[in-house]
């Protein structure tokens, strides 16, 4: 897993890679706002965004709380443990029945 992906997941999950919760570093917050948030809006917003009345799988991507709460399958993120985060599993298409986006895998640069 790339360092950048770990930083993003730590930022989304609101935790450092250790067990204690910390505020994101300014550069991580900037990266999230410039790169990750637009990607989530473009790639995930149609099914999991704030405008969707009934998000797919019961999962919303519009807040930290909604990602931690998760959807029908449980939490999307496990703070401090990205390898156990369902979001990571889904975007890597590890399970064809639980792959997001469902029609095609994101390009490596977006993952």
């Amino acid at each position: 897993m790339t360092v950048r992906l770990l930083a993003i997941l730590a930022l989304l999950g609101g935790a450092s890679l250790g067990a204690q919760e910390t505020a994101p570093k300014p550069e991580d917050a900037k990266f999230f706002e410039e790169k990750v948030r637009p990607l989530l809006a473009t790639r995930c917003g149609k099914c999991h965004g704030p405008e969707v009345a009934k998000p797919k799988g019961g999962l919303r991507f519009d807040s930290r709380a909604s990602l931690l709460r998760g959807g029908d399958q449980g939490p999307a993120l496990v703070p401090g443990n990205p390898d156990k985060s369902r979001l990571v599993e889904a975007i890597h298409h590890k399970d064809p029945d639980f792959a997001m986006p469902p029609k095609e895998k994101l390009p490596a640069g977006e993952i």
Side-chain angles (χ1 to χ4, degrees), residues 34-64:
E34 291 179 357
K35 304 290 184 185
V36 179
R37 187 181 301 278
L39 179 67
L40 289 174
T42 301
R43 295 294 199 155
C44 311
K46 182 177 174 183
C47 297
H48 302 284
E51 293 85 24
V52 180
K54 290 185 90 177
K56 299 281 184 173
L59 178 61
R60 288 199 181 280
F61 277 13
D62 54 347
S63 73
R64 174 185 184 269

Side-chain angles (χ1 to χ4, degrees), residues 55-90:
K56 299 281 184 173
L59 178 61
R60 288 199 181 280
F61 277 13
D62 54 347
S63 73
R64 174 185 184 269
S66 64
L67 286 166
L68 292 173
R69 182 176 44 255
D72 300 342
Q73 301 290 319
L77 297 175
V78 178
N81 199 342
D83 290 333
K84 292 192 177 184
S85 295
R86 300 211 24 100
L87 178 60
V88 173
E89 178 184 345

Side-chain angles (χ1 to χ4, degrees), residues 10-11 14 22-29:
L11 178 64
T22 62
K25 292 186 252 176
E27 61 269 19
D28 291 340

